[in-house]
């Protein structure tokens, strides 16, 4: 399993000077990520590689976190992310954007942008009511259950509530280009999360 941790910088457009085709890409600053721990089925029950990202001052981590990182020969980092699956990496190695090449199929996971408390029209794409002739039901959700039996609201009913702010994985993405000098990877299309949000880039295995 190939994977790396990065920070979403934003979106831009790239122009092909020969064909004139415009491609929308997401710019992600990924790595370098030191390998902190390699988990094996015999020791941990499953295969995984733990990567660190975003160096910080030692005072921003607990003693336990610092000890875990220093045991692998790494300095203080803010984020630790596991990538499950078999890997040829070992503790002390460093993962960079060069593990990917233009044209590789990937999937990107991150925490989506939180929209706050929203109604059913925005949250669940409900249709609005009539807007004329004195209607008082323009953006209301309508009936949520029967009046007599079973005299309760069923679980899972689509209603107003908090929207967004959950983990999402965008599949079917393609690497458009990489810049090993600036540790930047350009992904064709949009990825979850706000600007400066932490994302996980994995190879698409299916």
């Amino acid at each position: 399993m190939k994977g790396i941790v990065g920070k979403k910088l934003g979106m831009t457009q790239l122009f092909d000077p020969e064909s004139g085709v415009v491609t929308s890409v997401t710019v992600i600053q990924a790595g370098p990520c030191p390998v902190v721990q390699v988990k094996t089925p015999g020791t941990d029950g499953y295969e995984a590689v733990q990567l660190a990202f975003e160096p910080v001052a030692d005072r921003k981590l607990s003693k336990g976190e610092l000890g875990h990182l220093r045991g692998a020969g790494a300095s203080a980092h803010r984020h630790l992310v596991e990538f499950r699956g078999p890997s040829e990496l070992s503790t002390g190695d460093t993962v960079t954007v060069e593990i990917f090449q233009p044209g590789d199929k990937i999937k990107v996971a991150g925490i989506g942008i939180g929209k706050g408390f929203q109604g059913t029209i925005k949250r669940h794409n409900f249709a609005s009511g009539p807007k004329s002739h004195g209607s008082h039901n323009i953006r209301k959700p309508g009936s949520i259950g029967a009046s007599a039996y079973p005299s309760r609201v069923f679980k899972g009913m689509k209603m107003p509530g908090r929207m967004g702010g959950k983990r999402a994985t965008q599949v079917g993405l393609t690497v458009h280009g990489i810049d090993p000098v600036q540790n930047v990877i350009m992904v064709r299309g949009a990825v979850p999360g706000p600007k400066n949000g932490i994302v996980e880039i994995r190879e698409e295995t299916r």
Side-chain angles (χ1 to χ4, degrees), residues 120-122 124-131 137-142:
T120 53
I121 291 180
K122 181 170 182 177
H124 299 296
N125 203 25
F126 277 21
S128 62
K131 296 181 174 63
N137 184 24
I138 297 178
R139 298 185 69 89
K140 294 180 181 179

Side-chain angles (χ1 to χ4, degrees), residues 90-106:
S90 58
T91 303
D93 293 345
T94 301
V95 179
T96 64
V97 294
E98 293 178 298
I99 63 173
F100 295 107
Q101 298 297 326
D104 288 352
K105 300 296 182 181
I106 60 172

Side-chain angles (χ1 to χ4, degrees), residues 49-119:
V49 175
Q50 190 179 85
L51 303 182
F53 178 68
E54 195 173 1
V56 293
D58 291 353
R59 60 183 173 81
K60 295 191 175 183
L61 298 182
S62 66
K63 290 183 179 180
E65 292 170 332
L66 286 173
H68 178 64
L69 290 165
R70 288 172 179 169
S75 59
H77 286 71
R78 189 184 300 275
H79 304 284
L80 290 177
V81 179
E82 276 191 7
F83 292 86
R84 288 205 175 197
S87 176
E88 298 178 356
L89 296 171
S90 58
T91 303
D93 293 345
T94 301
V95 179
T96 64
V97 294
E98 293 178 298
I99 63 173
F100 295 107
Q101 298 297 326
D104 288 352
K105 300 296 182 181
I106 60 172
K107 56 184 178 181
V108 180
I111 304 298
I113 298 175
K115 305 292 185 180
F117 192 98
Q118 299 297 335

Side-chain angles (χ1 to χ4, degrees), residues 188-204:
R188 196 177 306 158
V191 303
K195 290 182 180 180
N196 297 321
I198 301 300
V199 294
E200 304 164 14
I201 306 172
R202 292 176 170 83
E203 64 177 340
E204 187 77 76

Side-chain angles (χ1 to χ4, degrees), residues 31 43 51 56 59 68 80 86 100 111 143 147 154 157 166-167 177 179 181 205:
T43 304
L51 303 182
V56 293
R59 60 183 173 81
H68 178 64
L80 290 177
F100 295 107
I111 304 298
S143 174
S147 60
F154 286 109
M157 185 68 62
K166 296 180 180 179
R167 180 181 171 88
D179 186 351
V181 178
T205 56

